[in-house]
Amino acid sequence: MWRLRWQTLGLTAVSVGLALEILGFLVGWLRRQRRRRHRPPRREVLFFPSQVTCTEALLQAQRQGGPPGAAPAPAATGPEVRKSPGPAAGAAGSGAATTAPAAAAETAPSCLCPLPHGESSLSRLLQYVLSARSSLELCLFAFSNPQLGRAVHLLHQQGVRVRVVTDCDYMALNGSQIGRLRKAGIQVRHDQGAGYMHHKFAIVDKKMLITGSLNWTTQAIQNNRENVLIVEDEEYVRLFLEEFERIWEEFNPVNYTFFPQRK
């Protein structure tokens, strides 16, 4: 009789423990959903050239974080403008000017390299790219920056659906990341006709648009005067996504002409 009572009490305690654990999970999930619903849409402008900073902490956090989106995108409460002083600037006096307080904290050092470990235009761009949880569409004229290449590769490894559209001439240049991404199993399509595929935009989770003058190359990031706009706006995202899908179908390999017929 006593054994039966103890067994009943034990089962009751386990049940209560499981119920409390499930309740805690549900409360946390509801809080996250509420924060997402009430979070203002992200709007930020990044200017380049970017200060040279260490981005290893961001990539390590993504690799060790497990699920997609382990590195959350910076949360902005309003339009934000970030200016980067260029590669010659040091860690202090970054010259960043914002119209709203930056919500993302500076990246904590996780390596012993001599580079500054603060925030920069490149690190902000990386955070937005690494925030992808389900899909990432890239439409880029040139893509050779290794940090951004590693970020895209990590997202693919963690189950994010990545699709890349690029230019056939520039994808063949030395240092291009396209071959590495294609070798990893990422879908890549390119043009075959006259003229360049000159777009430079990305779409994160079909909700966030990243676009501007910047080619995703180290030369452009560290030396050129460039701009990148990050915006969460349904209408703009829809228009750019339609353009991506149109080009994606146009560049379908079944439409390639490898041996044009003579007239």
Side-chain angles (χ1 to χ4, degrees), residues 51-66:
Q51 178 186 3
V52 178
T53 58
C54 178
T55 57
E56 191 62 28
L58 287 172
L59 297 168
Q60 289 285 352
Q62 183 71 21
R63 180 161 49 243
Q64 297 170 4

Side-chain angles (χ1 to χ4, degrees), residues 199 201 238-248:
H199 281 314
F201 68 85
R238 180 184 65 81
L239 292 171
F240 274 83
L241 189 57
E242 287 178 357
E243 173 68 359
F244 181 91
E245 296 293 353
R246 184 188 67 79
I247 298 175
W248 184 256

Side-chain angles (χ1 to χ4, degrees), residues 201-212:
F201 68 85
I203 302 171
V204 177
D205 292 337
K206 296 180 172 54
K207 296 178 181 179
M208 183 195 306
L209 173 65
I210 302 173
T211 187

Side-chain angles (χ1 to χ4, degrees), residues 196-253:
Y196 291 121
M197 202 306 296
H198 210 240
H199 281 314
K200 307 167 187 72
F201 68 85
I203 302 171
V204 177
D205 292 337
K206 296 180 172 54
K207 296 178 181 179
M208 183 195 306
L209 173 65
I210 302 173
T211 187
S213 67
L214 182 75
N215 279 311
W216 288 20
T217 66
T218 302
Q219 163 67 28
I221 290 170
Q222 293 185 4
N223 297 287
N224 294 356
R225 300 292 176 182
E226 308 279 2
N227 65 82
V228 170
L229 171 69
I230 297 99
V231 62
E232 287 181 328
D233 183 285
E234 290 184 7
E235 183 63 16
Y236 285 119
V237 170
R238 180 184 65 81
L239 292 171
F240 274 83
L241 189 57
E242 287 178 357
E243 173 68 359
F244 181 91
E245 296 293 353
R246 184 188 67 79
I247 298 175
W248 184 256
E249 290 305 316
E250 180 183 341
F251 291 175
N252 192 322

Side-chain angles (χ1 to χ4, degrees), residues 92-259:
S94 64
T98 63
T99 57
E106 288 191 350
T107 304
S110 64
C111 68
L112 301 178
C113 74
L115 293 175
H117 289 80
E119 203 169 64
S120 65
S121 292
L122 174 58
S123 71
R124 296 284 284 189
L125 178 58
L126 272 169
Q127 288 177 68
Y128 283 116
V129 172
L130 289 170
S131 70
R133 295 179 178 272
S134 59
S135 65
L136 177 66
E137 280 79 35
L138 299 176
C139 198
L140 300 170
F141 174 58
F143 187 4
S144 63
N145 180 262
Q147 291 98 326
L148 288 166
R150 285 177 62 192
V152 174
H153 189 199
L154 284 171
L155 290 173
H156 169 70
Q157 288 180 322
Q158 294 172 351
V160 174
R161 186 195 183 198
V162 180
R163 294 185 293 168
V164 181
V165 166
T166 190
D167 183 80
C168 63
D169 293 332
Y170 277 74
M171 67 180 284
L173 295 181
N174 289 335
S176 174
Q177 294 290 309
I178 299 300
R180 179 173 180 264
L181 298 180
R182 175 175 274 172
K183 187 176 180 180
I186 293 174
Q187 300 179 77
V188 176
R189 293 185 181 181
H190 58 80
D191 62 311
Q192 196 191 31
Y196 291 121
M197 202 306 296
H198 210 240
H199 281 314
K200 307 167 187 72
F201 68 85
I203 302 171
V204 177
D205 292 337
K206 296 180 172 54
K207 296 178 181 179
M208 183 195 306
L209 173 65
I210 302 173
T211 187
S213 67
L214 182 75
N215 279 311
W216 288 20
T217 66
T218 302
Q219 163 67 28
I221 290 170
Q222 293 185 4
N223 297 287
N224 294 356
R225 300 292 176 182
E226 308 279 2
N227 65 82
V228 170
L229 171 69
I230 297 99
V231 62
E232 287 181 328
D233 183 285
E234 290 184 7
E235 183 63 16
Y236 285 119
V237 170
R238 180 184 65 81
L239 292 171
F240 274 83
L241 189 57
E242 287 178 357
E243 173 68 359
F244 181 91
E245 296 293 353
R246 184 188 67 79
I247 298 175
W248 184 256
E249 290 305 316
E250 180 183 341
F251 291 175
N252 192 322
V254 301
N255 300 324
Y256 290 174
T257 304
F258 295 99
F259 303 102

